[in-house]
Amino acid sequence: MSPIAAALSFCFLHLLSAADAAININIDINKILSAYQGFSAFNKLLAETGVANGINQQPSITVLAVDNARMSQLSRLSPDAVKNTLSLHVVVGYYDEAKLKTMHPKQPLLLTTLYQQSEKPQNPQGFLKMKHEGDDQVAFGSAVPGSKLDATFVKQITTLPERLSVLQVSNLINASNSEAPASSPSPRKVLAAPAAVGPSLEKSPAPSHSPTRLPGAPAPSDASVGASSILTVSLGFGFLLL
């Protein structure tokens, strides 16, 4: 083998080993983003929703991060909608700033996201649409028909070549263009139950015809009432005999 061929073979093997090393690097997206306080809210939600674990397990991934000033919009969404939105910000595959700027397709590109891989949404809900616009601007949006391009590329934050790329985008991307903010159900009026048509199971007490008694006076017994009646009749016969 000639010296030139040997040198080329050595360089080729070195590049292969470097590529393998880059792919096998264990990444921790939360640790990486912790160095950038302007993205602390985004980083916190990645951990809380479990999206960070999905990022760490991918061999090649691109994270479209949003700064703290834009994250308040997620406070109106349900936990599931928050996870779906963040998953849509994770593109399967490596796209750094140089790669974005050299791509000039005539039609928008469809990018697979972590949302598509993990949540199994209905197509094309889990795909991102990427399009080059004027002034070399790159815009992103949901691939759901009728969705807007919600976000544009701002800058590259950090990269691990061919393994991880973290890019800042201008805004949050709506996962389906139809996610409604979570809200508590409005109180419903409690309607009075309708009156029973059939007879009541409990009999109402019969009206009392007994005379009103003074407080503390003993109630007359049946025996005393009967004796009083006999005495009255006897006295009447006595007066007649006189």
Side-chain angles (χ1 to χ4, degrees), residues 32-88:
I32 291 170
L33 283 179
S34 65
Y36 306 91
Q37 290 304 310
F39 300 89
S40 58
F42 183 83
N43 193 26
K44 181 173 180 289
L45 285 177
L46 287 181
E48 290 179 352
T49 58
V51 175
N53 293 332
I55 294 172
N56 296 341
Q57 294 171 7
Q58 293 294 323
S60 180
I61 204 78
T62 301
V63 179
L64 305 179
V66 180
D67 64 18
N68 295 340
R70 299 287 186 265
M71 292 298 294
S72 61
Q73 301 172 47
L74 289 182
S75 63
R76 298 173 294 171
L77 299 180
S78 66
D80 285 343
V82 171
K83 182 178 181 180
N84 293 344
T85 301
L86 293 178
S87 297
L88 195 67

Side-chain angles (χ1 to χ4, degrees), residues 76-188:
R76 298 173 294 171
L77 299 180
S78 66
D80 285 343
V82 171
K83 182 178 181 180
N84 293 344
T85 301
L86 293 178
S87 297
L88 195 67
H89 281 250
V90 182
V91 178
V92 177
Y94 180 84
Y95 297 89
D96 56 15
E97 183 176 7
K99 192 172 182 179
L100 288 183
K101 290 187 176 181
T102 55
M103 296 170 63
H104 291 280
K106 294 181 180 180
Q107 298 295 330
L109 288 180
L110 286 183
L111 305 177
T112 303
T113 69
L114 202 62
Y115 182 23
Q116 175 67 25
Q117 283 201 341
S118 60
E119 302 300 326
K120 304 302 181 186
Q122 295 181 353
N123 290 337
Q125 191 176 7
F127 290 96
L128 267 188
K129 182 169 54 178
M130 184 179 74
K131 182 181 179 182
H132 275 264
E133 297 187 329
D135 300 328
D136 202 27
Q137 189 177 64
V138 182
F140 299 90
S142 170
V144 173
S147 297
K148 298 178 180 179
L149 297 173
D150 300 311
T152 56
F153 170 72
V154 177
K155 65 181 180 181
Q156 181 172 290
I157 299 173
T158 187
T159 62
L160 290 173
E162 302 305 324
R163 179 70 171 89
L164 170 71
S165 175
V166 182
L167 309 175
Q168 180 183 356
V169 292
S170 62
N171 206 356
L172 287 166
I173 301 169
N174 197 328
S176 68
N177 217 36
S178 62
E179 293 281 4
S183 58
S184 56
S186 57
R188 293 180 297 177

Side-chain angles (χ1 to χ4, degrees), residues 224-240:
S224 63
V225 173
S228 176
S229 301
I230 295 172
L231 179 60
T232 302
V233 173
S234 301
L235 290 176
F237 276 111
F239 280 110
L240 288 176

Side-chain angles (χ1 to χ4, degrees), residues 5-29:
L8 289 174
S9 298
F10 175 79
C11 291
F12 180 72
L13 292 174
H14 179 72
L15 289 174
L16 282 179
S17 64
D20 289 339
I23 291 174
N24 293 325
I25 292 175
N26 292 325
I27 65 169
D28 184 339
I29 187 62

